[in-house]
Amino acid sequence: MKLRNYRTAQKKRRHDVFSRSETDCESEKDEASHWINNKFPPSRIRFDPQVQIPGSSILIFMARLHLPIAEATPIYEQLLTLFPTAAKFWRQYVEAHMAVNNDDATKQIFSRCLLICLQIPLWRCYIRFIRKANDKKGVEGQEETRKAFDFMLNYVGSDIASGPVWMEYISFLKSLPAQNTQEESQRMTAVRKVYQKAIVTPMHHIEQLWKEYENFENSVSRQLAKGLISEYQPKYTSARAVYRERKKYVDEIDWNMLAVPPTGSEEIQWMAWKRLLAFENFGHACHLMDRIDTASSNKRVIFTYEQCLMYLYHYPDIWYDYATWHAKGGSIDAAIKVFQRSLKALPESEMLRYAYAELEESRGAIQVLLVLHAAKKIYESLLGDGVSTTALAHIQLLRMSRKAHCIQSARKYFLDALKSSNCTYHVYIAYAMMAFCLDKDPKMAHNVFEAGLKRFMHEPVYILEYADFLTRLNDDQNIRALFERALSSLPPDESVEVWKKFAQFEQTYGDLASMLKVEQRRKEALSGSGPTPNVDILCYYYSYLGILFILEVDTIFLIDPLPHKYHHHLLKFTEQQHKSFSFQHHEMSSFVMNQSENLVEEVMKSHSTLQNTMNQSSVFSAVEESHCVIKVVIFGILFIIFVGEIPVRNREELGVSASMVQVQF
């Protein structure tokens, strides 16, 4: 709906523009000129490519209406500095010079804009200039004009709107004089080649060009025409089918859009270009055109990317996709040129620099040193003046230095990075792990972690990474010392993960006494952050790599954890029950629903009996043992219910409710 409304607005805008009379346009120009003179003198106008696009239009009005080209030139230059890919501004600029026959300035402007602005109106302006300049030069001028047509069609011949250009070129070739039979034959051959290129290009007027081609071949030789037409008929049919699909995507493009940095308002156009690029790359067009000519298909993809960058010039993902497409096709040099252009357009894009450096690094072992040196230079450019350098830039440069040179070079960059105000704990961790894993130097890694600890004792993530490193070294003594030092300085709200790691370490590598001691200290230290259900703690301690003995507990909260010696009974029981119910789900589900109510009633009766005998000291130990057995039985039932083998809607049928489970023993 949003896209449909957008298209309707675009059509209405075009209708309003073309429905105005010439008198209306002149009055508007006079009014605009008067308003500009009073409100917006050139000295007061400031450019902002992101928010002041209407101001740019005002400047164009000023330049076109009443200023001589000599005075308008600085305005155009300032405008085109902000919008270097705005073909309509380039065309207005060059037409202003053409109007006063300033040929040298016209040539200079064309040399600056043609290859970056692949737009048919601008290129047709170029052809008009060339034809006018060579109109009276005879054969030499005709040859120059022919070369200009070939040059133009090589770049914009794939445009869906290039039909009139092909027709103009064909008309020009047909109009060339032929002094003899040989020249006539050469002229016909040249016309035939242009026709055959045009009829396999998915563009407007393709059907008209096909009819003209048929008439042309029949006028030359009916016998030869039959074979040529039958040869090109399937290619023309495929190109026409591609054109009809291509037109649907092209109609969504706003060709008056200016290339501005992303603000969110251009999302519709960004999506439209993405769909068009996907169609050219992977859609039906790709398969059909590959049957005609793979080279032509690739040329059209390149043209689409280049045209897209005229409008999405500030979008790094478009530059990256374009370079990646070249690289996947084996054109590494072309991909590098795209990355170099992208960094001129977006010099602050770290993503493009990383991608460019990766491409340089992956070029192979033919010129290893040169390749690594080129990649290293790209990473060095990320540092800039050092003031706005990010920690990620330091880390990437460290890695590249280690690859391109040696340990000493990486160490030097690390010492330089420490002097930066933007050096975070990430740089310490990265270099320490590089020394440990790549240089096989655990002592150096340990020293780096210790040096960083003096600056980042307040960072829980740094503490955890340091602890993991010491765990790899089996240095349990220093691990405990690290936890003690860190927990003594961290505030409670920031020490939750460190306490959890400490307790897990003791549970894995210590004994029961040390684990319980750390757990008690953890509870006391974090008492202000709210209670933690004991079942959560139990699940955390007795889990491994995502394996939990309780998969889902819902609203179950245990008042006291089970004694440690009964954990293996619970695990064994639940594991057996889970396997049994997984193997015979349908048979056992009915059995559980029939028997569970009786089982729970028996458990409750046993609990009542145990409560009545609690005053008898002689049976106290038996009561405690039975107490734990009851918990195991209830846990087993709950496991079967909540593991998902029995549908949730049948839980009430089992007779087990939350009130039954929250039993106070």
PDB file of all heavy atoms in Angstrom, residues 497-516:
ATOM      1  N   GLU A 497      27.958 -11.666  37.538  1.00  0.00           N
ATOM      2  CA  GLU A 497      28.544 -12.666  36.655  1.00  0.00           C
ATOM      3  C   GLU A 497      29.879 -13.183  37.187  1.00  0.00           C
ATOM      4  O   GLU A 497      30.227 -14.356  36.989  1.00  0.00           O
ATOM      5  CB  GLU A 497      28.730 -12.074  35.256  1.00  0.00           C
ATOM      6  CG  GLU A 497      27.437 -11.740  34.542  1.00  0.00           C
ATOM      7  CD  GLU A 497      26.576 -12.976  34.334  1.00  0.00           C
ATOM      8  OE1 GLU A 497      27.136 -14.062  34.068  1.00  0.00           O
ATOM      9  OE2 GLU A 497      25.345 -12.858  34.460  1.00  0.00           O
ATOM     10  N   VAL A 498      30.620 -12.313  37.865  1.00  0.00           N
ATOM     11  CA  VAL A 498      31.901 -12.752  38.429  1.00  0.00           C
ATOM     12  C   VAL A 498      31.659 -13.755  39.550  1.00  0.00           C
ATOM     13  O   VAL A 498      32.361 -14.773  39.661  1.00  0.00           O
ATOM     14  CB  VAL A 498      32.702 -11.539  38.930  1.00  0.00           C
ATOM     15  CG1 VAL A 498      34.028 -11.999  39.545  1.00  0.00           C
ATOM     16  CG2 VAL A 498      32.971 -10.565  37.790  1.00  0.00           C
ATOM     17  N   TRP A 499      30.679 -13.477  40.419  1.00  0.00           N
ATOM     18  CA  TRP A 499      30.339 -14.445  41.477  1.00  0.00           C
ATOM     19  C   TRP A 499      29.887 -15.775  40.866  1.00  0.00           C
ATOM     20  O   TRP A 499      30.244 -16.851  41.347  1.00  0.00           O
ATOM     21  CB  TRP A 499      29.221 -13.876  42.350  1.00  0.00           C
ATOM     22  CG  TRP A 499      29.695 -12.990  43.468  1.00  0.00           C
ATOM     23  CD1 TRP A 499      29.485 -11.662  43.608  1.00  0.00           C
ATOM     24  CD2 TRP A 499      30.465 -13.400  44.613  1.00  0.00           C
ATOM     25  NE1 TRP A 499      30.073 -11.191  44.753  1.00  0.00           N
ATOM     26  CE2 TRP A 499      30.682 -12.247  45.395  1.00  0.00           C
ATOM     27  CE3 TRP A 499      30.987 -14.611  45.042  1.00  0.00           C
ATOM     28  CZ2 TRP A 499      31.400 -12.283  46.588  1.00  0.00           C
ATOM     29  CZ3 TRP A 499      31.705 -14.654  46.225  1.00  0.00           C
ATOM     30  CH2 TRP A 499      31.908 -13.503  46.994  1.00  0.00           C
ATOM     31  N   LYS A 500      29.087 -15.701  39.830  1.00  0.00           N
ATOM     32  CA  LYS A 500      28.607 -16.929  39.196  1.00  0.00           C
ATOM     33  C   LYS A 500      29.775 -17.739  38.629  1.00  0.00           C
ATOM     34  O   LYS A 500      29.825 -18.961  38.763  1.00  0.00           O
ATOM     35  CB  LYS A 500      27.610 -16.573  38.093  1.00  0.00           C
ATOM     36  CG  LYS A 500      26.952 -17.776  37.445  1.00  0.00           C
ATOM     37  CD  LYS A 500      26.031 -17.353  36.314  1.00  0.00           C
ATOM     38  CE  LYS A 500      24.832 -16.630  36.834  1.00  0.00           C
ATOM     39  NZ  LYS A 500      23.851 -16.343  35.746  1.00  0.00           N
ATOM     40  N   LYS A 501      30.713 -17.031  37.998  1.00  0.00           N
ATOM     41  CA  LYS A 501      31.888 -17.708  37.447  1.00  0.00           C
ATOM     42  C   LYS A 501      32.745 -18.316  38.546  1.00  0.00           C
ATOM     43  O   LYS A 501      33.280 -19.436  38.407  1.00  0.00           O
ATOM     44  CB  LYS A 501      32.709 -16.705  36.633  1.00  0.00           C
ATOM     45  CG  LYS A 501      33.813 -17.331  35.805  1.00  0.00           C
ATOM     46  CD  LYS A 501      33.266 -18.018  34.583  1.00  0.00           C
ATOM     47  CE  LYS A 501      34.371 -18.483  33.655  1.00  0.00           C
ATOM     48  NZ  LYS A 501      33.844 -19.144  32.456  1.00  0.00           N
ATOM     49  N   PHE A 502      32.884 -17.599  39.659  1.00  0.00           N
ATOM     50  CA  PHE A 502      33.671 -18.092  40.790  1.00  0.00           C
ATOM     51  C   PHE A 502      33.044 -19.359  41.360  1.00  0.00           C
ATOM     52  O   PHE A 502      33.727 -20.375  41.604  1.00  0.00           O
ATOM     53  CB  PHE A 502      33.751 -16.989  41.850  1.00  0.00           C
ATOM     54  CG  PHE A 502      34.753 -17.260  42.932  1.00  0.00           C
ATOM     55  CD1 PHE A 502      35.688 -18.293  42.839  1.00  0.00           C
ATOM     56  CD2 PHE A 502      34.776 -16.470  44.081  1.00  0.00           C
ATOM     57  CE1 PHE A 502      36.615 -18.525  43.841  1.00  0.00           C
ATOM     58  CE2 PHE A 502      35.695 -16.697  45.090  1.00  0.00           C
ATOM     59  CZ  PHE A 502      36.610 -17.734  44.973  1.00  0.00           C
ATOM     60  N   ALA A 503      31.724 -19.327  41.558  1.00  0.00           N
ATOM     61  CA  ALA A 503      31.039 -20.502  42.101  1.00  0.00           C
ATOM     62  C   ALA A 503      31.119 -21.683  41.139  1.00  0.00           C
ATOM     63  O   ALA A 503      31.313 -22.836  41.557  1.00  0.00           O
ATOM     64  CB  ALA A 503      29.583 -20.149  42.401  1.00  0.00           C
ATOM     65  N   GLN A 504      30.982 -21.421  39.861  1.00  0.00           N
ATOM     66  CA  GLN A 504      31.085 -22.499  38.878  1.00  0.00           C
ATOM     67  C   GLN A 504      32.488 -23.095  38.859  1.00  0.00           C
ATOM     68  O   GLN A 504      32.650 -24.311  38.709  1.00  0.00           O
ATOM     69  CB  GLN A 504      30.715 -21.965  37.502  1.00  0.00           C
ATOM     70  CG  GLN A 504      30.626 -23.052  36.429  1.00  0.00           C
ATOM     71  CD  GLN A 504      30.347 -22.472  35.058  1.00  0.00           C
ATOM     72  OE1 GLN A 504      30.854 -21.407  34.718  1.00  0.00           O
ATOM     73  NE2 GLN A 504      29.534 -23.162  34.276  1.00  0.00           N
ATOM     74  N   PHE A 505      33.483 -22.232  39.004  1.00  0.00           N
ATOM     75  CA  PHE A 505      34.858 -22.721  39.055  1.00  0.00           C
ATOM     76  C   PHE A 505      35.061 -23.664  40.243  1.00  0.00           C
ATOM     77  O   PHE A 505      35.656 -24.741  40.113  1.00  0.00           O
ATOM     78  CB  PHE A 505      35.828 -21.543  39.147  1.00  0.00           C
ATOM     79  CG  PHE A 505      37.246 -21.939  39.443  1.00  0.00           C
ATOM     80  CD1 PHE A 505      38.063 -22.452  38.458  1.00  0.00           C
ATOM     81  CD2 PHE A 505      37.754 -21.819  40.731  1.00  0.00           C
ATOM     82  CE1 PHE A 505      39.365 -22.836  38.736  1.00  0.00           C
ATOM     83  CE2 PHE A 505      39.057 -22.200  41.024  1.00  0.00           C
ATOM     84  CZ  PHE A 505      39.861 -22.704  40.020  1.00  0.00           C
ATOM     85  N   GLU A 506      34.551 -23.267  41.415  1.00  0.00           N
ATOM     86  CA  GLU A 506      34.705 -24.114  42.602  1.00  0.00           C
ATOM     87  C   GLU A 506      33.920 -25.410  42.464  1.00  0.00           C
ATOM     88  O   GLU A 506      34.362 -26.466  42.905  1.00  0.00           O
ATOM     89  CB  GLU A 506      34.248 -23.348  43.845  1.00  0.00           C
ATOM     90  CG  GLU A 506      35.141 -22.182  44.231  1.00  0.00           C
ATOM     91  CD  GLU A 506      36.531 -22.639  44.675  1.00  0.00           C
ATOM     92  OE1 GLU A 506      36.756 -23.845  44.838  1.00  0.00           O
ATOM     93  OE2 GLU A 506      37.404 -21.767  44.849  1.00  0.00           O
ATOM     94  N   GLN A 507      32.756 -25.327  41.832  1.00  0.00           N
ATOM     95  CA  GLN A 507      31.960 -26.547  41.651  1.00  0.00           C
ATOM     96  C   GLN A 507      32.645 -27.522  40.708  1.00  0.00           C
ATOM     97  O   GLN A 507      32.533 -28.735  40.864  1.00  0.00           O
ATOM     98  CB  GLN A 507      30.582 -26.155  41.104  1.00  0.00           C
ATOM     99  CG  GLN A 507      29.541 -27.266  41.145  1.00  0.00           C
ATOM    100  CD  GLN A 507      29.543 -28.127  39.884  1.00  0.00           C
ATOM    101  OE1 GLN A 507      30.015 -27.678  38.846  1.00  0.00           O
ATOM    102  NE2 GLN A 507      29.048 -29.340  39.996  1.00  0.00           N
ATOM    103  N   THR A 508      33.407 -26.982  39.724  1.00  0.00           N
ATOM    104  CA  THR A 508      34.072 -27.837  38.730  1.00  0.00           C
ATOM    105  C   THR A 508      35.434 -28.321  39.203  1.00  0.00           C
ATOM    106  O   THR A 508      35.773 -29.499  39.047  1.00  0.00           O
ATOM    107  CB  THR A 508      34.225 -27.071  37.402  1.00  0.00           C
ATOM    108  OG1 THR A 508      32.949 -26.587  36.979  1.00  0.00           O
ATOM    109  CG2 THR A 508      34.802 -27.974  36.325  1.00  0.00           C
ATOM    110  N   TYR A 509      36.198 -27.432  39.813  1.00  0.00           N
ATOM    111  CA  TYR A 509      37.581 -27.758  40.132  1.00  0.00           C
ATOM    112  C   TYR A 509      37.856 -27.852  41.633  1.00  0.00           C
ATOM    113  O   TYR A 509      38.928 -28.322  42.026  1.00  0.00           O
ATOM    114  CB  TYR A 509      38.523 -26.705  39.523  1.00  0.00           C
ATOM    115  CG  TYR A 509      38.403 -26.597  38.026  1.00  0.00           C
ATOM    116  CD1 TYR A 509      37.681 -25.565  37.439  1.00  0.00           C
ATOM    117  CD2 TYR A 509      38.996 -27.554  37.190  1.00  0.00           C
ATOM    118  CE1 TYR A 509      37.564 -25.465  36.063  1.00  0.00           C
ATOM    119  CE2 TYR A 509      38.870 -27.458  35.814  1.00  0.00           C
ATOM    120  CZ  TYR A 509      38.153 -26.406  35.253  1.00  0.00           C
ATOM    121  OH  TYR A 509      38.035 -26.318  33.898  1.00  0.00           O
ATOM    122  N   GLY A 510      36.919 -27.400  42.467  1.00  0.00           N
ATOM    123  CA  GLY A 510      37.125 -27.477  43.909  1.00  0.00           C
ATOM    124  C   GLY A 510      36.377 -28.648  44.516  1.00  0.00           C
ATOM    125  O   GLY A 510      35.978 -29.591  43.847  1.00  0.00           O
ATOM    126  N   ASP A 511      36.169 -28.578  45.834  1.00  0.00           N
ATOM    127  CA  ASP A 511      35.395 -29.612  46.515  1.00  0.00           C
ATOM    128  C   ASP A 511      34.075 -29.031  46.984  1.00  0.00           C
ATOM    129  O   ASP A 511      33.782 -27.852  46.789  1.00  0.00           O
ATOM    130  CB  ASP A 511      36.190 -30.196  47.686  1.00  0.00           C
ATOM    131  CG  ASP A 511      36.694 -29.115  48.631  1.00  0.00           C
ATOM    132  OD1 ASP A 511      36.097 -28.005  48.626  1.00  0.00           O
ATOM    133  OD2 ASP A 511      37.666 -29.358  49.355  1.00  0.00           O
ATOM    134  N   LEU A 512      33.262 -29.869  47.632  1.00  0.00           N
ATOM    135  CA  LEU A 512      31.941 -29.443  48.062  1.00  0.00           C
ATOM    136  C   LEU A 512      32.018 -28.322  49.083  1.00  0.00           C
ATOM    137  O   LEU A 512      31.242 -27.363  49.035  1.00  0.00           O
ATOM    138  CB  LEU A 512      31.170 -30.636  48.639  1.00  0.00           C
ATOM    139  CG  LEU A 512      29.774 -30.338  49.171  1.00  0.00           C
ATOM    140  CD1 LEU A 512      28.888 -29.797  48.050  1.00  0.00           C
ATOM    141  CD2 LEU A 512      29.159 -31.585  49.794  1.00  0.00           C
ATOM    142  N   ALA A 513      32.963 -28.401  49.979  1.00  0.00           N
ATOM    143  CA  ALA A 513      33.079 -27.390  51.032  1.00  0.00           C
ATOM    144  C   ALA A 513      33.405 -26.019  50.438  1.00  0.00           C
ATOM    145  O   ALA A 513      32.796 -25.007  50.807  1.00  0.00           O
ATOM    146  CB  ALA A 513      34.153 -27.806  52.030  1.00  0.00           C
ATOM    147  N   SER A 514      34.352 -25.986  49.524  1.00  0.00           N
ATOM    148  CA  SER A 514      34.717 -24.697  48.915  1.00  0.00           C
ATOM    149  C   SER A 514      33.568 -24.133  48.093  1.00  0.00           C
ATOM    150  O   SER A 514      33.335 -22.924  48.072  1.00  0.00           O
ATOM    151  CB  SER A 514      35.971 -24.867  48.046  1.00  0.00           C
ATOM    152  OG  SER A 514      35.717 -25.748  46.965  1.00  0.00           O
ATOM    153  N   MET A 515      32.816 -25.016  47.413  1.00  0.00           N
ATOM    154  CA  MET A 515      31.688 -24.554  46.618  1.00  0.00           C
ATOM    155  C   MET A 515      30.605 -23.948  47.502  1.00  0.00           C
ATOM    156  O   MET A 515      30.080 -22.863  47.222  1.00  0.00           O
ATOM    157  CB  MET A 515      31.107 -25.703  45.807  1.00  0.00           C
ATOM    158  CG  MET A 515      29.959 -25.279  44.885  1.00  0.00           C
ATOM    159  SD  MET A 515      29.025 -26.658  44.220  1.00  0.00           S
ATOM    160  CE  MET A 515      28.104 -27.164  45.672  1.00  0.00           C
ATOM    161  N   LEU A 516      30.275 -24.645  48.604  1.00  0.00           N
ATOM    162  CA  LEU A 516      29.248 -24.137  49.509  1.00  0.00           C
ATOM    163  C   LEU A 516      29.676 -22.838  50.172  1.00  0.00           C
ATOM    164  O   LEU A 516      28.866 -21.943  50.405  1.00  0.00           O
ATOM    165  CB  LEU A 516      28.920 -25.194  50.565  1.00  0.00           C
ATOM    166  CG  LEU A 516      28.285 -26.482  50.022  1.00  0.00           C
ATOM    167  CD1 LEU A 516      28.066 -27.482  51.143  1.00  0.00           C
ATOM    168  CD2 LEU A 516      26.964 -26.181  49.322  1.00  0.00           C
TER     169      LEU A 516
END
